Amino acid sequence: MTSHYQERSLTRSSMSPRTLFNTVMTGVAILCGVLALVPLVAVLSYVLIRGFSSLNFSIFTELPPAPLRPGGGFGNAIVGTLLMVGIAALISIPFGVIAAIYLTEFSSGKIARWVRFATNVLSGVPSIIAGVFAYGIVVLTLVRLNLGSYSAIGGGFALAILMLPIIVKTTDEALQLVSQDLRQASVGLGATNFQTVTQVVLPAALPAIVTGSTLAIARAAGETAPLIFTALFSTFWPNSLFQPTASLAVLVFNFAISPFKNWQSLAWAASLILVLMVLITSIIARWATRQKA
């Protein structure tokens, strides 16, 4: 009799409104998680199917072909992308990390709030605005100085503007997460504030800083609009920082909308290479995060 009563109580409790609501919401959460993966899987699979059939070794070593001419590649666009992203990283990573160190370790509360607000605003600026700004600052200046016009320097500067707020925000948050006990212990042992920051705080936050930098690089590698305004495009190998330079993103834009089948095929292959570059940088970011743990 007692056992039968307990079974009925457990049955009622398992069907209670709270339990039913929890079950339904768990199912909704799982469904939303699956639906969130659908666009990613669809994009990756479609690019992989269309781009893999066009992959061959020559695309890494040859220049873009003429319309309707078989073969060719986009090795110049790969080199140009790496070149401009490298220039952007050399500009944005030192400035971003130093700015974040100032915000976290040396600035007053009011200044830090205004700088963080400005960083948030800059991170929301459309990429095409960054391209227009870089065009006015770099491209027109090169024209006035008779040093060129569209160039890898201009493209790297435009990408650096887009990378800077990401690096500042991630580095700022990483430094804030470093325990105050480490700082106090370092000062207690006689270290100066500068020594504490460079030898204690920065090494502790380094994995998160690397993560933010790789995510910024991944975003910059896929930008198109800023490079159209600043680096334009070229069908030749880059041999100067002050000449128009090809990039994968602009090549995809130019070739994908062309009426020529061979160019469209190269656009899909370039899309796959670009996705793989972003994937590799994301893997590096994940690896750096796991190293922190």
Side-chain angles (χ1 to χ4, degrees):
M1 183 69 178
T2 304
S3 176
H4 180 68
Y5 177 77
Q6 291 176 345
E7 290 178 359
R8 291 180 60 186
S9 299
L10 290 174
T11 301
R12 287 197 301 269
S13 62
S14 63
M15 298 301 296
S16 64
R18 179 180 297 178
T19 304
L20 182 61
F21 178 78
N22 180 70
T23 303
V24 171
M25 294 307 297
T26 300
V28 170
I30 294 174
L31 178 62
C32 291
V34 173
L35 292 177
L37 293 176
V38 169
L40 175 63
V41 174
V43 170
L44 290 180
S45 59
Y46 193 71
V47 171
L48 182 63
I49 293 172
R50 295 295 301 269
F52 188 77
S53 61
S54 303
L55 282 182
N56 55 72
F57 183 74
S58 64
I59 65 175
F60 298 98
T61 59
E62 297 183 9
L63 296 174
L68 303 178
R69 180 182 175 182
F74 44 81
N76 62 327
I78 296 176
V79 174
T81 298
L82 296 176
L83 179 64
M84 288 185 285
V85 172
I87 293 172
L90 289 176
I91 297 173
S92 61
I93 291 178
F95 278 97
V97 172
I98 293 173
I101 291 173
Y102 171 75
L103 289 176
T104 307
E105 306 295 333
F106 301 105
S107 69
S108 62
K110 186 175 182 180
I111 296 177
R113 284 194 299 270
W114 278 107
V115 174
R116 290 187 178 107
F117 174 76
T119 302
N120 291 331
V121 173
L122 182 60
S123 64
V125 170
S127 60
I128 193 170
I129 303 301
V132 173
F133 174 76
Y135 174 83
I137 297 297
V138 179
V139 176
L140 296 183
T141 300
L142 292 177
V143 171
R144 285 192 291 268
L145 296 176
N146 293 322
L147 295 176
S149 56
Y150 300 100
S151 63
I153 292 291
F157 181 79
L159 296 181
I161 295 173
L162 299 176
M163 292 173 59
L164 186 61
I166 301 175
I167 296 173
V168 172
K169 291 173 64 176
T170 54
T171 304
D172 183 25
E173 293 173 0
L175 294 175
Q176 291 185 53
L177 291 176
V178 176
S179 175
Q180 290 293 333
D181 294 338
L182 290 177
R183 295 178 173 86
Q184 294 173 359
S186 176
V187 173
L189 291 173
T192 63
N193 197 11
F194 179 79
Q195 291 174 327
T196 299
V197 171
T198 57
Q199 300 179 22
V200 178
V201 178
L202 274 181
L206 186 60
I209 296 173
V210 173
T211 300
S213 300
T214 52
L215 291 176
I217 290 173
R219 182 198 173 180
E223 289 293 342
T224 306
L227 300 183
I228 294 176
F229 278 93
T230 54
L232 203 59
F233 191 72
S234 173
T235 56
F236 304 101
W237 293 101
N239 55 16
S240 174
L241 297 180
F242 297 96
Q243 292 182 354
T245 305
S247 63
L248 285 172
V250 177
L251 182 138
V252 171
F253 173 76
N254 290 337
F255 284 15
I257 62 177
S258 71
F260 308 111
K261 293 295 183 180
N262 64 326
W263 281 10
Q264 293 176 6
S265 177
L266 286 177
W268 283 112
S271 300
L272 178 58
I273 297 299
L274 192 57
V275 168
L276 291 177
M277 290 175 63
V278 174
L279 180 62
I280 290 172
T281 54
S282 299
I283 291 174
I284 294 175
R286 292 288 299 175
W287 176 81
T289 304
R290 292 187 61 181
Q291 290 296 107
K292 181 182 178 180

